[in-house]
Amino acid sequence: MTHVEDELTSQPECWARAASEAPRCVKVLPAPGERVAMVGCGTSYFMARAAAALREGAGQGETDAFAASEFPHGRRYDRVVALTRSGTTTEVLDLLGRLKGDTPTTAITADPDTPVEAAADALAVLDFADERSVVQTRFATTALTLFRAHLGLHPDTAVTDARTALAEPLPEGIVECGQFTFLGRGWTVGLANEAGLKMREAALAWTEAYPAMEYRHGPISVSTAGTATWMLGDAPDGLAEQVRGTGALWIAGALDPLAELVRVHRLAVAVAASRGLDPDTPRHLTRSVILEP
């Protein structure tokens, strides 16, 4: 078993623990009414997008999300929350250092014994979800689960659905597809982007991701026999029929959207295996991007 497989299968237990520990993090996570920015890089950026949409949609306050390198320093926020599994990513540390003493910051990390401990004002530590893999799975989904629980939006069915996602067979014929498109709505747009990233990282697959209503505005032109379109969350009316009409394989998101992402994790490993790739050694990637000064 690869590190990725071992880690992705532990997600139900990690989510249950994160949800139980959310009350302990209430003082370091955003309070209702605060104007907040969520930041990260790569996978953490896509999780930040999902978390921001959830928080603002829940009426907790205006919440933006940015890649750490694209943070708009001309805007004022009550708190900035950074997601960083390693605690060593250059862009995140640079941003936290620049905000020090001006804007309160919280880092959600798997490793507090790293430079992020000094860079951030407060930490939420998920060391039980740390990973050996370059390709993130359980830390990302556990961090988002912590945030969902903090907002009161972690459903009791999420952990059960994650176990279902690990136990059920993948959709018939999907591993053989040559192109994959992932769609979301609201907070699941971030999940769709993360699903596409996982397939690119682990399996070198041709993937795209869009808000579901945007799929008709051009991207559907790539749909044909031998491609797959996967919906994370509820689909817009008529879209499934339209995609099936192209000859493409349509995958409906029947589980909790975060559990659907677990199914995509499994797909990434399966496609990698079918192509003779090792998902533990993704091409051109390292566990953390650390840039020279």
Side-chain angles (χ1 to χ4, degrees):
M1 181 176 289
T2 63
H3 296 318
V4 173
E5 290 175 283
D6 180 57
E7 290 158 0
L8 74 86
T9 57
S10 68
Q11 289 178 100
E13 292 72 29
C14 288
W15 296 5
R17 182 167 174 181
S20 70
E21 294 191 2
R24 304 180 194 175
C25 299
V26 67
K27 292 184 178 180
V28 301
L29 294 176
E34 286 186 327
R35 188 169 190 246
V36 173
M38 307 279 298
V39 301
C41 298
T43 288
S44 292
Y45 166 51
F46 294 137
M47 294 297 102
R49 288 181 60 182
L54 278 170
R55 182 175 186 269
E56 188 160 316
Q60 292 279 304
E62 184 175 337
T63 315
D64 298 322
F66 305 101
S69 59
E70 297 297 319
F71 183 80
H73 288 278
R75 297 187 191 178
R76 301 296 301 177
Y77 290 97
D78 298 313
R79 180 172 298 275
V80 172
V81 179
L83 277 66
T84 171
R85 174 181 65 173
S86 69
T88 60
T89 303
T90 296
E91 298 103 300
V92 172
L93 295 176
D94 285 351
L95 174 60
L96 293 174
R98 186 167 174 180
L99 295 173
K100 196 77 169 179
D102 182 48
T103 303
T105 60
T106 295
I108 302 175
T109 186
D111 188 353
D113 298 322
T114 58
V116 77
E117 182 179 22
D121 297 320
L123 297 181
V125 179
L126 301 174
D127 50 0
F128 58 89
D130 202 358
E131 297 163 320
R132 296 179 63 182
S133 301
V134 173
V135 176
Q136 283 197 55
T137 55
R138 73 181 179 193
F139 174 76
T141 59
T142 300
L144 186 55
T145 296
L146 175 71
F147 215 78
R148 292 178 85 184
H150 173 67
L151 296 170
L153 298 175
H154 173 67
D156 294 337
T157 56
V159 171
T160 302
D161 280 0
R163 293 194 175 105
T164 299
L166 291 168
E168 289 187 347
L170 290 171
E172 185 176 354
I174 195 167
V175 173
E176 293 73 33
C177 287
Q179 189 276 341
F180 306 86
T181 299
F182 299 96
L183 305 178
R185 303 177 82 179
W187 71 281
T188 69
V189 174
L191 300 189
N193 278 275
E194 168 58 9
L197 180 62
K198 284 288 95 55
M199 294 292 293
R200 289 189 290 274
E201 290 176 330
L204 304 182
W206 170 20
T207 64
E208 300 178 351
Y210 302 97
M213 289 297 288
E214 285 295 304
Y215 196 52
R216 297 181 176 98
H217 295 271
I220 197 172
S221 62
V222 304
S223 293
T224 188
T227 72
T229 303
W230 193 317
M231 183 73 212
L232 285 84
D234 295 330
D237 290 344
L239 185 58
E241 293 76 15
Q242 192 170 357
V243 170
R244 291 191 186 104
T246 69
L249 178 64
W250 169 264
I251 309 299
L255 302 174
D256 179 87
L258 202 56
E260 286 293 321
L261 184 58
V262 175
R263 295 178 74 200
V264 178
H265 292 164
R266 292 181 56 216
L267 174 63
V269 171
V271 173
S274 74
R275 298 179 179 186
L277 301 171
D278 179 0
D280 282 344
T281 57
R283 190 169 68 182
H284 310 317
L285 299 178
T286 57
R287 188 173 180 275
S288 174
V289 176
I290 303 173
L291 305 177
E292 293 295 329

